[in-house]
Amino acid sequence: MIYFQMLLSFLQIGLFSFGGGYASLPLINEQIIKAHGWLTMSEFTDVLTISQMTPGPIAINAATFVGMRIAGIPGALTATLGCVIPSTVVAIALAKIYYKYREMSVMKGVMNGLRPAVVAMIASAGLSIMVQALWADGIVSFAADKIDFIAVAVFIASLLVLRIFKPNQIAVMAAAGVLGGAAYLIMDMI
Amino acid sequence: MEDKKDGKLKLFLTLFLETLKISAFTFGGGYVIVPLLQKKFVDGLHWIDEDEMLDLVAIAQSTPGPLAINASLLIGYRMAGFAGAMVTLLGTVLPPFVIMSVVSVFYIAFRDNRIVSAVLKGMQAAVAAVILDVVITMAHNVIKDKRIFPILIMLAAFAVTIVFDINVVFIIIVCGVLGALFMRPKKEAEK
């Protein structure tokens, strides 16, 4: 019974969270904390913190975490499944429509309008990640003590390397993690 | 016949492994996966062109649920139909699933570990650089056509998402309608 309830809850979270990671937070809050009490508010905050430290979408992380807590690996599987079923069905349905009609002039017009908007949305997501990474409080400020200089150095070095040498991005991220991480640890010790 | 089967198996394996690798490195929200997918499937493997990739991202945004899941699912679907979509879905879900399952058992130690948080802080700055790198390339592609409408849409959408905390669905609808009204391809005769 608990499996069915979890499946149902995460189906709703998957189905109604439009527009990126944080859009799913109110729904997770509603379903997981308020309706079922599967997590306490402070556990939920922990899930968010850990979500930012681990790869993958917040909804998937929350699903796995809640599922594991309640019913171990079968629970995690059930909750994750619930989370991805709506995406799968809707994405494939929309893709079918797109590939069927993409030669039509109206469809081409729609896509011509969407492409620059998609670039803009990626840019603005990038900007907020940049602010989060480069300023100590995640708020833009010109006070020297608020700027995270290690992060600024890592950022500029990574960008130059990416633009000039066009290496594998994952290698750049891993290198930044090791070198930047070492720099933070050394700074802490001084 | 055997060759065809081998080719298909190889395609599935590549789809699975590439999305697995990419998903393991998408720290910090769904959009991070877009530059990674773009670099691999557009610039690296040349399986999809940039316009189609942006179309798939637009579809992914119009779909409920995590963007990262939707985007890689759609690439799988584009390359190998429903089975391809299942393969990339699995590849994308597996890293967060495994990591989170492990972390959930001893999450307090993980959350408070200084080395973990130092490495992640270092990585976050590089994630910002990775996104900016791809955005520079994409924005350049929009601007170099020197057509006023796409450039205006790009600037307006950027301004709106920065200034207002607006749901992306709204931006998609508005830009889609504007595109349908004003950006339909000109008929050959009119050229």
Side-chain angles (χ1 to χ4, degrees):
Chain A
M1 204 52 220
I2 187 83
Y3 293 111
F4 186 67
Q5 276 180 350
M6 272 196 311
L7 188 69
L8 216 58
S9 280
F10 279 98
L11 271 175
Q12 289 178 52
I13 292 169
L15 187 58
F16 295 114
S17 57
F18 273 98
Y22 291 95
S24 60
L25 295 187
L27 282 156
I28 296 175
N29 181 30
E30 181 67 39
Q31 286 290 326
I32 305 305
I33 301 164
K34 289 195 186 138
H36 297 285
W38 285 329
L39 290 182
T40 65
M41 198 62 209
S42 96
E43 281 175 318
F44 182 56
T45 315
D46 286 341
V47 173
L48 288 186
T49 314
I50 298 166
S51 280
Q52 280 164 344
M53 304 167 83
T54 59
I58 289 175
I60 300 289
N61 289 339
T64 309
F65 191 90
V66 170
M68 276 296 278
R69 293 316 285 306
I70 296 168
I73 289 171
L77 280 174
T78 310
T80 306
L81 198 65
C83 212
V84 299
I85 286 176
S87 295
T88 311
V89 174
V90 178
I92 289 179
L94 288 177
K96 274 194 196 301
I97 295 171
Y98 165 71
Y99 283 112
K100 191 163 176 199
Y101 296 110
R102 75 170 167 155
E103 293 310 320
M104 280 175 60
S105 110
V106 174
M107 188 64 151
K108 281 190 171 155
V110 170
M111 287 303 171
N112 284 342
L114 288 184
R115 279 179 212 134
V118 169
V119 174
M121 287 185 269
I122 298 170
S124 92
L127 188 70
S128 49
I129 291 177
M130 194 175 122
V131 170
Q132 193 70 43
L134 305 189
W135 277 275
D137 310 328
I139 300 162
V140 178
S141 151
F142 292 101
D145 61 327
K146 297 282 185 207
I147 298 172
D148 183 339
F149 286 104
I150 295 175
V152 172
V154 170
F155 173 77
I156 292 172
S158 307
L159 190 62
L160 287 177
V161 168
L162 285 164
R163 292 305 295 174
I164 297 168
F165 302 107
K166 313 220 171 297
N168 184 323
Q169 298 155 310
I170 292 174
V172 173
M173 286 192 240
V178 173
L179 296 175
Y184 282 117
L185 289 174
I186 291 166
M187 283 300 282
D188 270 2
M189 280 186 266
I190 296 170
Chain B
M1 204 56 200
E2 274 304 301
D3 275 3
K4 212 173 163 188
K5 219 172 164 185
D6 276 5
K8 195 127 206 184
L9 203 68
K10 220 177 136 197
L11 172 65
F12 283 141
L13 197 67
T14 312
L15 283 172
F16 176 72
L17 290 177
E18 290 306 335
T19 45
L20 188 79
K21 264 192 285 183
I22 288 173
S23 171
F25 276 88
T26 52
F27 291 89
Y31 281 98
V32 178
I33 205 168
V34 177
L36 297 171
L37 291 172
Q38 156 98 16
K39 202 95 190 172
K40 191 76 224 172
F41 290 98
V42 179
D43 305 339
L45 295 167
H46 300 291
W47 283 358
I48 301 171
D49 71 31
E50 183 170 315
D51 276 355
E52 192 175 350
M53 183 72 195
L54 287 175
D55 292 351
L56 292 178
V57 175
I59 297 171
Q61 286 179 307
S62 317
T63 304
L67 179 69
I69 302 285
N70 300 343
S72 26
L73 189 89
L74 284 163
I75 286 176
Y77 181 76
R78 157 70 173 77
M79 296 313 302
F82 183 74
M86 290 301 101
V87 168
T88 49
L89 176 67
L90 190 67
T92 313
V93 170
L94 218 49
F97 183 82
V98 170
I99 293 170
M100 207 59 189
S101 300
V102 175
V103 165
S104 71
V105 180
F106 47 87
Y107 73 100
I108 291 173
F110 178 82
R111 186 194 61 190
D112 297 338
N113 188 298
R114 277 177 49 218
I115 296 174
V116 169
S117 69
V119 169
L120 288 166
K121 258 166 84 183
M123 210 134 82
Q124 202 179 25
V127 169
V130 163
I131 296 189
L132 189 61
D133 171 43
V134 171
V135 164
I136 292 171
T137 309
M138 285 176 157
H140 179 248
N141 286 343
V142 173
I143 293 166
K144 75 164 190 238
D145 290 343
K146 296 207 173 69
R147 282 170 36 226
I148 198 75
F149 240 112
I151 299 175
L152 277 181
I153 287 196
M154 186 169 74
L155 294 177
F158 184 70
V160 167
T161 44
I162 292 288
V163 179
F164 307 105
D165 183 20
I166 204 164
N167 195 314
V168 295
V169 178
F170 179 72
I171 295 173
I172 291 202
I173 292 172
V174 171
C175 295
V177 170
L178 284 175
L181 290 177
F182 303 112
M183 296 168 76
R184 282 196 297 222
K186 300 243 181 340
K187 292 209 178 71
E188 294 299 320
E190 289 170 26
K191 267 186 182 167

